[in-house]
Amino acid sequence: MSTFADFKIKKQLRNALADLKLEKPTPIQQASFSPILGGFDFVGIAQTGTGKTIAYLLPILQDLKFSDQPHPRVLVLVPTRELVIQIVEEIEKLTPNLSVRVLGVYGGTNIKPQKQAIAQGLDIIVGTPRRLYDLALTSVLRLKSIKKLVIDEVDIMLDFGFKTQLRNIFEYLPAKRQNILFSATMTTYVDELIDGFLVNPVKKTISISGTPLDNISQESYAAPNFYTKANLLNHLLEDKKEYSKVLIFVATKVNADRLFETLNFESEVSVIHSSKEQNHRSKSLEKFDNGTSRILIATDVVSRGIDIEKITTVISFDTSFYPENYIHRIGRTGRAEEQGRSILLYSEKEIPLKDAIESLMKYTIPFSELPKEVEISSQLTPEENKSVVPEELNDTHFTPEGGASFHEKSAKNSKEKSVRKSYKKKLKERFKKPIRRGDKIQNMKKKRR
Ligand code: AMP
């Protein structure tokens, strides 16, 4: 399929697309149209900018028949008021010639006019979870008529702590419905939702930068633990010319803060994660963007909004738990035809994750030996010591009834055991033994932020 003319859509929608000067469907639009129209549960891993909104709106609008029934048939949940407004606008732009009643609802505004608007009858309701739930608690908004549920930006929902609201809303929805999820990054939460609420979903992953491999050189280092990885970074990042704008990904907020404390380049490092206030995040980003700080430490979810040019190197300090996220990570460098560089650090435990990334990319990341100057630390972080699951992966509050908990699924999917065996020999060669107990990091003073 190469143009919208190949889609089976009503002429009113076709004309609207033409008026919007949209001719060719984007990859996510191509991938999602048939499954969503066919009524399948659907998971799209796609970032803003890929055309994901129209990707779900088009098949939904195609399927939506005229009705004057008062209660909505489509519910779209999004994390922010801005998105509510944006999606309502997109629906309006696509339906100037169709009779579709749409309403956006969000908090921070008077609920009364929203109730009045709902009472007049609706086809599609777009809202943020908290306000939507407040409305569902009233007798005005009835959700039992919902046939299709869209949750957009699921990863951000998690970041904003909307789990409880979502779970509450689900209780008001009919069990028989079509579920459509969109998320820029894969997270355990998306996994839990898929496990608990979706029925044999069709899953499509779209990378914003197409095939990011072409102009990004990739390499990997094996390092046994956090502090050895940190030693390696302290060594590599001394080369300020080569590493002039470096984005470092970590798996958890704790690791973000810990790495910030551990890196030597005090004034040149910024850190962002979801526990930091918006103001702090904006300042850190600005400093990184304008070059005041050379190094930015970020978690996957929070880094999503970053649109910063000329990142020379992306470092995956923790190997991403979901292979799709690695592709998103490295897509931050090598933009606009420039050569980018990606460095992946992995411990023994992370080998199965690295394998998953390589099989997704169908590419083996070249291996680099640890430079001899890099000290192998024997110090372990509390998490490494206890070998607990990182906080993001330990998020089990949301275990829907009847759904497998994350841990079950993780155990089910884990390739760790078998992989470990086959790698045992290789590992011995790669992971050097600690040269002495303790290391300089242990004694490092805490830095001021
Ligand atoms: P989204 O990923 O939904 O945030 O969309 C990003 C932007 O891409 C929006 O401004 C859309 O209007 C635009 N867009 C969506 N689909 C297409 C398309 N098929 N061709 C060109 N632009 C598009």
Side-chain angles (χ1 to χ4, degrees):
M1 264 186 227
S2 55
T3 71
F4 282 118
D6 302 314
F7 279 26
K8 278 197 183 122
I9 42 174
K10 313 173 204 187
K11 81 171 178 311
Q12 294 94 327
L13 283 175
R14 194 185 307 286
N15 291 344
L17 287 169
D19 289 346
L20 292 170
K21 309 253 179 302
L22 302 181
E23 287 165 15
K24 280 185 157 178
T26 63
I28 189 67
Q29 290 163 359
Q30 292 210 20
S32 58
F33 185 76
S34 297
I36 295 181
L37 189 61
F40 292 97
D41 278 3
F42 186 86
V43 180
I45 304 298
Q47 291 179 304
T48 302
T50 53
K52 66 182 171 64
T53 318
I54 290 181
Y56 62 78
L57 287 181
L58 209 55
I60 287 176
L61 292 169
Q62 171 64 20
D63 194 43
L64 195 69
K65 308 214 164 38
F66 173 80
S67 166
D68 54 8
Q69 76 166 72
H71 305 300
R73 288 168 285 164
V74 178
L75 169 60
V76 183
L77 291 171
V78 294
T80 63
R81 140 215 296 249
E82 290 76 16
L83 259 176
V84 171
I85 294 167
Q86 201 178 308
I87 290 167
V88 168
E89 275 174 12
E90 292 242 24
I91 296 172
E92 285 169 347
K93 278 194 239 161
L94 288 171
T95 57
N97 308 311
L98 286 167
S99 172
V100 172
R101 299 161 302 167
V102 57
L103 179 71
V105 295
Y106 42 79
T109 51
N110 192 343
I111 198 167
K112 228 173 160 189
Q114 295 177 354
K115 281 191 195 167
Q116 287 162 353
I118 293 168
Q120 286 173 16
L122 276 182
D123 296 304
I124 304 177
I125 184 158
V126 185
T128 48
R130 205 161 284 140
R131 176 53 59 95
L132 203 286
Y133 181 59
D134 286 345
L135 287 162
L137 284 176
T138 72
S139 55
V140 183
L141 177 63
R142 297 243 184 95
L143 296 178
K144 281 289 173 223
S145 53
I146 295 294
K147 300 269 187 290
K148 293 178 200 292
L149 166 70
V150 180
I151 311 180
D152 199 354
E153 312 241 338
V154 181
D155 49 355
I156 298 283
M157 292 273 193
L158 166 75
D159 198 30
F160 285 8
F162 278 141
K163 278 184 183 180
T164 313
Q165 280 79 17
L166 284 184
R167 191 176 45 201
N168 290 342
I169 291 167
F170 290 160
E171 280 172 19
Y172 280 80
L173 295 172
K176 197 168 169 289
R177 59 173 194 263
Q178 183 183 12
N179 299 291
I180 299 156
L181 303 190
F182 274 84
S183 183
T185 45
M186 263 308 286
T187 68
T188 50
Y189 183 52
V190 182
D191 241 0
E192 286 174 5
L193 276 178
I194 294 170
D195 260 5
F197 293 100
L198 273 61
V199 185
N200 299 327
V202 176
K203 189 175 164 207
K204 300 281 177 186
T205 301
I206 304 293
S207 163
I208 194 165
S209 39
T211 44
L213 305 178
D214 300 346
N215 52 339
I216 299 168
S217 72
Q218 299 185 58
E219 64 198 290
S220 64
Y221 288 92
N225 50 37
F226 179 96
Y227 286 108
T228 309
K229 288 180 177 183
N231 287 350
L232 171 63
L233 290 200
N234 275 330
H235 172 74
L236 293 177
L237 297 174
E238 267 172 20
D239 186 343
K240 299 192 179 184
K241 208 166 155 220
E242 176 65 30
Y243 298 98
S244 57
K245 202 167 204 177
V246 182
L247 180 55
I248 304 177
F249 284 99
V250 288
T252 64
K253 297 168 207 170
V254 174
N255 269 6
D257 287 332
R258 189 180 286 132
L259 185 60
F260 178 80
E261 307 285 350
T262 315
L263 286 183
N264 287 338
F265 313 93
E266 194 157 359
S267 57
E268 298 172 82
V269 189
S270 295
V271 60
I272 50 164
H273 57 64
S274 55
S275 296
K276 300 279 180 202
E277 282 175 7
Q278 186 57 44
N279 196 19
H280 177 279
R281 291 198 211 180
S282 318
K283 271 200 188 137
S284 295
L285 277 179
E286 200 182 306
K287 274 164 72 184
F288 185 57
D289 197 17
N290 67 24
T292 316
S293 51
R294 177 166 68 97
I295 300 159
L296 181 68
I297 303 169
T299 52
D300 284 294
V301 170
V302 88
S303 72
R304 284 195 34 195
I306 303 177
D307 188 19
I308 287 173
E309 297 283 298
K310 300 208 187 307
I311 292 174
T312 55
T313 311
V314 165
I315 298 178
S316 294
F317 184 85
D318 295 307
T319 308
S320 44
F321 187 74
Y322 293 99
E324 294 89 346
N325 293 356
Y326 176 80
I327 312 247
H328 288 314
R329 287 177 179 186
I330 71 172
R332 305 280 177 181
T333 182
R335 287 193 171 173
E337 309 291 303
E338 289 189 19
Q339 186 67 33
R341 183 171 181 188
S342 160
I343 299 176
L344 172 72
L345 313 187
Y346 64 97
S347 66
E348 182 182 354
K349 269 198 184 142
E350 291 171 321
I351 289 174
L353 307 179
K354 177 172 157 291
D355 286 349
I357 290 168
E358 291 178 338
S359 65
L360 180 71
M361 294 192 298
K362 297 186 180 65
Y363 175 75
T364 305
I365 305 168
F367 176 75
S368 303
E369 289 289 343
L370 280 186
K372 59 180 182 321
E373 298 87 344
V374 175
E375 224 168 77
I376 309 292
S377 173
S378 61
Q379 187 188 355
L380 298 178
T381 64
E383 295 82 17
E384 286 170 337
N385 243 326
K386 282 189 251 153
S387 121
V388 293
V389 247
E391 68 194 19
E392 194 231 345
L393 310 178
N394 201 11
D395 216 352
T396 51
H397 314 293
F398 193 89
T399 305
E401 274 179 15
S405 75
F406 168 71
H407 294 295
E408 286 164 32
K409 187 182 166 87
S410 159
K412 200 169 61 193
N413 288 349
S414 172
K415 292 182 281 175
E416 199 158 335
K417 261 193 189 153
S418 57
V419 174
R420 220 178 242 171
K421 260 188 207 158
S422 61
Y423 270 85
K424 220 172 170 184
K425 247 182 123 187
K426 257 193 215 164
L427 279 173
K428 271 202 172 150
E429 292 159 15
R430 284 192 180 181
F431 291 95
K432 302 172 190 165
K433 286 268 173 302
I435 47 173
R436 64 180 175 82
R437 294 194 66 78
D439 60 52
K440 62 176 179 164
I441 294 159
Q442 223 162 356
N443 305 319
M444 271 178 62
K445 280 188 294 185
K446 287 214 157 191
K447 288 179 187 173
R448 268 189 312 122
R449 229 166 277 193

